[in-house]
Amino acid sequence: MDKATVGGLVMAFGLLALAVMLAPGGSFLAFWDAASAAVVIGGAAAATCIAFPFAALFLVPGIMKKVFNPKVSDLRPVIRQLVEFAEIARRDGILALESKTDEISDPFILLGIQMAVDGTDAELMEAVLRTEMEAVAMRHKTGKSLMETVGRYAPAFGMIGTLMGLIIMLGNMDDPAAIGPGMAVALITTLYGAMVSNMVFLPFADKLGYYSKRELEVREVIVRGILSIQDGDNPRVLEQKLNTFLPVSQRASEEKDAA
């Protein structure tokens, strides 16, 4: 569970609720309007249906799930595993890694090790692994684009709903008592559009982009590690090369533990 995502959502909506409670005469009922919600949410969903193939819309639940429960490997155990494989290959030969394939849980590492054990040419192996990385990057790009699209259309439909509300209000100018409530309802639609966009979908898109970058970084480490193992590089040299991908704070911790 991504605690930052959950905490951010709770904080955002909590602050808005607190503002309503602290405002003189504030009322939660004043901020609810079913028609406004229908225009913003329904309109953004409809526009997204137009922008993407229908099949892509079924990916939305899974994409949103990744925001709360991302599956990105930590770099440190990946580096340790690759260094361990390098030690085995250097001591017993690269064919000895075949006995370790049952212990590999990451399909990407498994693919690379199997190709290395089979004696695949280094250039071909790198091309296959990088093609797999590109396919992952494209899937991530589609998910991020879906979130950004909803986030872009929601404020637009908020404005459309506001204009509709103003037109209805101006059509009933003969009733002065209805002008104030009518204006409030019109503005609520803009509020909903801004909230849906800036508190949910655009932040979700940014979080997906962050995790996509992290996953591709892990895969880059794996590609370089497996190519080094195939080349017979010294495990200590390999560890030093791969540790450069760690954040500075983690590198310092690794060096301290090694000392």
Side-chain angles (χ1 to χ4, degrees), residues 14-229:
L15 287 173
L16 288 181
L18 180 63
V20 172
M21 290 187 291
L22 294 178
S27 169
F28 287 109
L29 290 177
F31 287 87
W32 168 248
D33 185 70
S36 298
V39 169
V40 172
I41 298 174
T48 305
C49 287
I50 297 171
F52 285 88
F54 194 68
L57 301 179
F58 291 102
L59 301 175
V60 172
I63 292 168
M64 296 187 74
K65 182 180 177 182
K66 288 182 180 179
V67 175
F68 292 95
N69 190 26
K71 295 180 180 179
V72 180
S73 302
D74 187 6
L75 270 176
R76 285 174 294 183
V78 170
I79 291 173
R80 292 194 194 103
Q81 187 175 43
L82 291 171
V83 171
E84 178 189 346
F85 290 160
E87 290 171 346
I88 294 171
R90 191 173 177 85
R91 183 179 63 247
D92 304 323
I94 198 165
L95 291 178
L97 293 177
E98 189 170 10
S99 63
K100 295 290 182 179
T101 54
D102 293 337
E103 303 174 11
I104 301 173
S105 58
D106 188 323
F108 192 67
I109 297 178
L110 180 61
L111 173 63
I113 293 297
Q114 286 176 333
M115 286 193 294
V117 169
D118 292 341
T120 306
D121 179 74
E123 291 185 4
L124 176 60
M125 185 164 66
E126 183 176 7
V128 170
L129 292 173
R130 294 203 179 279
T131 299
E132 179 67 21
M133 286 178 64
E134 290 173 5
V136 171
M138 288 300 296
R139 289 198 298 270
H140 291 175
K141 185 177 180 181
T142 299
K144 185 174 184 290
S145 181
L146 270 167
M147 296 293 103
E148 288 176 335
T149 300
V150 179
R152 188 171 65 250
Y153 288 139
F157 277 94
M159 184 59 66
I160 290 171
T162 296
L163 294 174
M164 291 170 61
L166 290 175
I167 292 170
I168 294 171
M169 183 191 69
L170 293 173
N172 293 284
M173 290 295 288
D174 55 332
D175 184 7
I179 294 177
M183 178 64 77
V185 170
L187 293 177
I188 284 174
T189 318
T190 299
L191 175 65
Y192 285 175
M195 288 174 59
V196 168
S197 175
N198 295 290
M199 294 172 62
V200 181
F201 287 100
L202 291 183
F204 281 12
D206 289 337
K207 180 58 71 73
L208 287 171
Y210 168 76
Y211 279 123
S212 175
K213 182 179 177 181
R214 275 192 55 190
E215 184 173 341
L216 292 175
E217 189 176 61
V218 171
R219 288 181 178 245
E220 179 65 28
V221 166
I222 293 169
V223 170
R224 296 194 184 196
I226 290 174
L227 291 174
S228 293
I229 291 170

